[in-house]
């Protein structure tokens, strides 16, 4: 019954909405890429007006999306609407895109704020394509698996963060008083970043060159790689395998019903 309803009614509506969103996606991307060159183009008189027009076109499309979201919120209820992650992404996109485009028009050019919010909007706009892909047979299980793993990883991320902070602080303690060398661990902020880099597999013992306790620092880093690269990595693999099995058992129906 679900498959019949999807093929006859749900799929055509969803595909039309997807096509409209893809068209908006290209308009948004073109506006980002072309705005600066069009605004500064002195060879064509109307180029700055075209740049402003593109920004306002994005704002108009956002007004349409606002109407859609308001209608959905009235139908579902405010609490249930705001608890859905896709609605949260939609709200973020609308706010960031509208703010960024209006700032461009108001200040007649780019500002740091407009670039920041449009950068966030770019991530959200492209990531939101997954919303439409989750209803199709080939991509739906993959999208479901991404969100299932993300939800199941909350406790894992906490453990990872604790290990990262602890070892970053340890690396900083054994290097920050040394005057020689150029270790990134001499500052706590860069120590956090470099420890994260180590966790991704970019281990470089030369970072401790010049430290008085270089051998002890390398020993600590080997223990760190053992914990992060073997223990926690295997835990993550086991967690992902379990999440994948749950998604496979639920099948594609969840995504189609939600759409």
């Amino acid at each position: 019954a679900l498959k019949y309803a999807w093929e006859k009614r749900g799929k055509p509506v969803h595909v039309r909405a997807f096509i409209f969103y893809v068209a908006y996606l290209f308009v948004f991307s073109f506006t980002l890429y072309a705005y600066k060159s069009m605004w500064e183009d002195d060879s064509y008189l109307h180029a700055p007006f075209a740049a402003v027009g593109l920004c306002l076109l994005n704002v108009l499309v956002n007004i349409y999306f606002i109407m859609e979201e308001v209608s959905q919120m009235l139908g579902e209820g405010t609490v249930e609407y705001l608890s859905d992650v896709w609605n949260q992404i939609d709200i973020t996109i609308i706010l960031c895109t509208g703010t960024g485009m209006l700032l461009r028009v108001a200040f007649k050019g780019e500002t740091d704020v407009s670039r920041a919010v449009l950068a966030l909007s770019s991530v959200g706009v492209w990531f939101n394509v997954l919303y439409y892909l989750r209803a199709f047979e080939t991509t739906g299980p993959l999208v479901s698996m991404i969100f299932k793993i993300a939800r199941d990883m909350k406790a894992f991320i906490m453990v990872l963060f604790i290990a990262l902070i602890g070892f970053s602080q340890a690396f900083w303690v054994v290097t920050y008083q040394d005057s020689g060398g150029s270790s990134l661990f001499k500052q706590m902020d860069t120590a956090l970043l470099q420890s994260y880099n180590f966790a991704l597999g970019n281990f470089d013992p030369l970072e401790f060159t010049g430290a008085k306790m270089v051998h002890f620092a390398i020993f600590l880093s080997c223990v760190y790689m053992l914990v992060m690269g073997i223990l926690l990595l295997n835990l993550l693999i086991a967690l992902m395998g379990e999440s994948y099995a749950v998604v496979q058992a639920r099948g594609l129906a969840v995504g189609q019903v939600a759409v």
Side-chain angles (χ1 to χ4, degrees):
L2 173 63
K3 185 176 180 180
Y4 178 82
W6 167 251
E7 292 293 337
K8 293 297 182 181
R9 300 185 59 183
K11 186 175 181 179
V13 174
H14 186 70
V15 169
R16 285 196 296 271
F18 188 24
I19 293 173
F20 175 79
Y21 187 79
V22 170
Y24 164 72
L25 187 63
F26 280 102
V27 171
F28 171 79
S29 298
F30 179 76
T31 305
L32 289 185
Y33 291 125
Y35 176 80
K36 187 175 185 297
S37 59
M38 293 177 67
W39 184 259
E40 297 175 351
D41 188 2
D42 297 329
S43 61
Y44 181 54
L45 180 62
H46 300 293
F49 296 100
V52 172
L54 282 173
C55 292
L56 294 178
L57 177 61
N58 280 269
V59 173
L60 289 175
V61 176
N62 270 269
I63 293 175
Y64 168 78
F65 286 144
I66 291 173
M67 295 172 61
E68 290 287 319
E69 295 302 313
V70 170
S71 175
Q72 185 178 345
M73 183 172 63
L74 294 176
E76 297 179 0
T78 305
V79 176
E80 184 176 353
Y81 171 82
L82 293 176
S83 63
D84 186 271
V85 65
W86 294 109
N87 294 330
Q88 296 167 9
I89 293 173
D90 288 335
I91 293 172
T92 303
I93 292 172
I94 291 171
L95 291 176
C96 290
T97 304
T99 302
M101 296 299 176
L102 290 176
L103 284 174
R104 279 179 162 184
V105 174
F107 289 93
K108 298 179 180 180
E110 289 282 18
T111 65
D112 291 342
V113 177
S114 68
R115 289 192 295 175
V117 295
L118 287 175
L120 295 176
S121 182
S122 298
V123 176
V125 165
W126 282 97
F127 188 81
N128 204 38
V129 174
L130 297 179
Y131 168 81
Y132 297 93
L133 296 180
R134 65 180 180 154
F136 299 109
E137 185 175 356
T138 54
T139 55
L142 298 177
V143 178
S144 298
M145 185 169 63
I146 290 172
F147 280 88
K148 172 62 176 173
I149 291 175
R151 287 191 295 268
D152 293 344
M153 281 181 61
K154 290 184 290 187
F156 174 82
I157 293 296
M158 182 182 68
V159 175
L160 181 68
F161 185 72
I162 291 172
L164 178 63
I165 293 293
F167 278 97
S168 298
Q169 192 172 38
F171 294 143
W172 172 77
V173 166
V174 298
T175 58
Y176 82 101
Q177 290 186 338
D178 297 329
S179 58
S182 59
S183 175
L184 294 175
F185 292 101
K186 291 183 179 181
Q187 300 293 331
M188 192 59 196
D189 54 347
T190 55
L192 281 169
L193 181 60
Q194 190 64 10
S195 296
Y196 178 73
N197 196 32
F198 275 18
L200 297 179
N202 297 321
F203 174 61
D204 185 8
L206 294 178
E207 285 295 334
F208 301 106
T209 301
K212 294 179 181 179
M213 302 178 65
V214 58
H215 298 294
F216 182 70
I218 293 175
F219 168 74
L220 275 179
S221 62
C222 290
V223 175
Y224 175 66
M225 293 302 296
L226 178 67
V227 172
M228 301 292 282
I230 298 179
L231 180 62
L232 292 183
L233 178 60
N234 280 280
L235 176 61
L236 178 61
I237 293 172
L239 183 65
M240 292 176 64
E242 182 180 351
S243 301
Y244 179 77
V246 172
V247 171
Q248 288 293 94
R250 293 167 66 186
L252 183 64
V254 176
Q256 293 181 348
V257 169
V259 171

